[in-house]
Amino acid sequence: MIDKRIASMREALTDVAPGSAVMIGGFGSSGIPFELIEALRQHGAGDLTIISNNAGVAEEGIAALLRDRLVRKVVCSYPRSQGSIWFERLFEEGAIELELIPQGTFAERMRAAGAGLGGFFTPTGYGTKMAEGKETREIDGRGYVLEHPLSADFALVRAHKGDRWGNLAYNTAGRNFNPVMAMAAEVTVAEVEHLVELGDLNPESVATPGVFVNRVVAQEGMN
Amino acid sequence: MQRLTPEQMAERLAQDIPDGSYVNLGIGMPVMVANFVPEGRDVIYHSENGILGVGPTPAPGTEDPDLINAAKQYVTLIKGGCFFDTAESFAMMRGGHLDIAVLGGFQVSAAGDLANWATDNEKYPPAVGGAMDLSVGAKAVYVLMRHTTKDGQPKILDECSYPLTGAGVVRRIYTDLAVIEVTDAGLQVVELHDGNSFEDVQAATGTRLLPPAA
């Protein structure tokens, strides 16, 4: 029997080792697995590489991981937002490494990892600093940059509904990076607002098929 | 010199968005353009986080915490709108499916190079978001920015001194002083805002401009 349900957020993350690379879904405050991030903070493994579009605001989510100095490196497209005080403080101190990637390249690199591709040529960043040190090629008269797949040890994603096979459906724009991250990581843990019975999800509305998901945890209301 | 307010700048640019366009509006001044598109035009707004058909700000108390725009502000979805993931959203950009991207700018060069993601201050974190993908992928890139910096330095230059977002990508520049088209012959002023002479605008610019047709 396939049953990917885990009883608690903390239990779902017990094997996250120090130094792990962890993808975290979401965009701004939308589609963010806040409970899993809080469980990761409590778990306490340090020296993490956090791969997520933003770097958290105020004391919430990823910002709390930064505040507790659990993060060595941030891989993202847009670390600075109104209220991203912890990222800005650590960056100014030189206490955190930043790998900045154009957002479309960021998403596609994860998709490539999940799709078994060795990389892809993108016009994004051609002729800019982002292309420095990378292979470039002219295809049909246009310049492209070779980008490599991006994977991770874990992906923490959030969905509106999920079942015990790991099928996931999202709420409005909460989908964003969650599907590509679920594909790209070694172990994908999904935080779901509602855990439903097999067959309750409309098959047409499943945006992440369960094959990409290893663990499913219902929200506990811990935040 | 007569300087347009940010609202007037957004309103001016909005006049040039044709009926039936798919448009992406960048963070900052560009998102204001949506407020000024003339009545009767159907314009579909794309948001990089996975929305086609972004609608107006929701009434207080009706916000959906997952339904935000690129600037992380609450928005709504218009009838006929839809959602998708980030990889598909950027396929729309890079794949040339969007008609217009309106972006903010730190600097624009005579060749239409755009710089808008990093400065020369190493303590200030750079942030690129979707700007590079939009700049290479949209069919037309319009830059909406003030003509000069807060301390009066020109932002339209022979060459950008800040790192580039895209090389030769800008079609038009809408500033508080003028509308300028990037052409093979150079930067062509197509419109001077009320009361500004070509000489005044040229003096506020760090590269040579071509005067508007008489």
Side-chain angles (χ1 to χ4, degrees):
Chain A
M1 183 175 104
I2 298 176
D3 188 355
K4 299 178 181 177
R5 290 173 297 180
I6 304 283
S8 74
M9 300 288 166
R10 284 294 299 275
E11 247 177 276
L13 300 179
T14 48
D15 54 346
V16 177
S20 295
V22 182
M23 291 174 174
I24 298 180
F27 179 98
S29 59
S30 166
I32 296 263
F34 281 111
E35 296 199 6
L36 281 171
I37 299 172
E38 175 57 17
L40 181 64
R41 191 190 67 78
Q42 291 175 13
H43 175 63
D47 202 24
L48 299 174
T49 293
I50 295 296
I51 302 166
S52 194
N53 191 56
N54 307 105
V57 296
E59 311 282 327
E60 289 172 2
I62 293 169
L65 300 176
L66 297 172
R67 180 197 61 208
D68 287 7
R69 307 213 175 227
L70 298 173
V71 183
R72 179 180 66 80
K73 180 179 178 183
V74 168
V75 181
C76 73
S77 90
Y78 211 86
R80 126 170 90 69
S81 301
Q82 205 169 11
S84 55
I85 45 173
W86 282 105
F87 178 81
E88 285 171 45
R89 188 173 302 176
L90 268 56
F91 186 82
E92 197 174 331
E93 281 176 22
I96 196 146
E97 193 182 331
L98 170 67
E99 180 180 350
L100 193 78
I101 307 176
Q103 194 173 168
T105 301
F106 186 42
E108 197 65 17
R109 284 182 61 191
M110 293 187 276
R111 208 195 73 80
L117 301 176
F120 56 94
F121 282 97
T122 177
T124 303
Y126 183 82
T128 77
K129 211 169 135 182
M130 292 287 185
E132 281 173 13
K134 293 178 184 167
E135 186 179 336
T136 59
R137 188 175 298 184
E138 199 172 292
I139 301 171
D140 289 338
R142 192 171 192 200
Y144 293 83
V145 185
L146 175 63
E147 294 286 356
H148 293 275
L150 176 64
S151 59
D153 301 305
F154 292 86
L156 312 185
V157 302
R158 199 194 89 206
H160 182 51
K161 292 180 179 173
D163 63 26
R164 68 177 167 87
W165 283 7
N167 294 307
L168 303 177
Y170 300 93
N171 175 51
T172 64
R175 189 178 313 187
N176 55 64
F177 283 94
N178 288 301
V180 286
M181 289 183 176
M183 291 170 72
E186 202 63 42
V187 175
T188 293
V189 185
E191 165 181 335
V192 299
E193 285 152 60
H194 304 283
L195 197 51
V196 301
E197 294 297 319
L198 282 185
D200 281 0
L201 292 174
N202 176 354
E204 304 259 20
S205 70
V206 172
T208 296
V211 69
F212 296 126
V213 177
N214 303 90
R215 301 170 191 171
V216 181
V217 199
Q219 284 185 340
E220 298 166 355
M222 66 194 281
N223 286 342
Chain B
M1 245 183 314
Q2 299 294 313
R3 289 184 182 272
L4 298 189
T5 64
E7 288 77 12
Q8 289 170 323
M9 291 166 66
E11 185 173 8
R12 172 61 194 84
L13 191 150
Q15 308 312 307
D16 292 354
I17 298 196
D19 186 26
S21 303
Y22 287 88
V23 177
N24 184 292
L25 302 176
I27 295 174
M29 228 188 297
V31 291
M32 290 165 50
V33 170
N35 300 331
F36 297 106
V37 172
E39 292 269 335
R41 291 187 199 173
D42 258 344
V43 175
I44 297 179
Y45 295 103
H46 171 268
S47 189
E48 64 187 14
N49 49 319
I51 313 171
L52 266 183
V54 178
T57 306
T62 67
E63 299 91 349
D64 171 347
D66 290 321
L67 189 40
I68 60 174
N69 64 15
K72 283 85 177 177
Q73 298 156 328
Y74 293 117
V75 293
T76 49
L77 188 74
I78 61 169
K79 271 187 194 170
C82 61
F83 302 110
F84 33 85
D85 70 55
T86 311
E88 193 171 353
S89 181
F90 280 80
M92 287 177 201
M93 297 183 191
R94 279 190 317 264
H97 306 281
L98 300 182
D99 297 302
I100 297 170
V102 182
L103 299 174
F106 295 158
Q107 298 173 334
V108 177
S109 81
D113 299 341
L114 171 65
N116 77 351
W117 67 279
T119 65
D120 48 13
N121 178 356
E122 286 186 1
K123 296 267 172 175
Y124 186 63
V128 64
M132 284 194 179
D133 302 281
L134 281 167
S135 77
V136 299
K139 287 177 194 154
V141 174
Y142 294 167
V143 171
L144 183 64
M145 67 174 194
R146 289 187 178 81
H147 206 93
T148 54
T149 63
K150 285 194 182 99
D151 51 7
Q153 297 303 308
K155 298 175 67 170
I156 303 173
L157 305 162
D158 287 330
E159 301 276 352
C160 298
S161 62
Y162 293 157
L164 294 191
T165 304
V169 294
V170 178
R171 171 90 54 94
R172 277 190 161 206
I173 315 164
Y174 293 80
T175 78
D176 46 354
L177 300 182
V179 179
I180 297 166
E181 180 122 353
V182 180
T183 72
D184 291 341
L187 295 179
Q188 173 71 54
V189 175
V190 292
E191 198 174 301
L192 293 160
H193 298 324
D194 281 348
N196 292 332
S197 71
F198 175 75
E199 290 68 26
D200 286 344
V201 173
Q202 176 65 78
T205 306
T207 188
R208 201 172 72 84
L209 300 175
L210 302 170

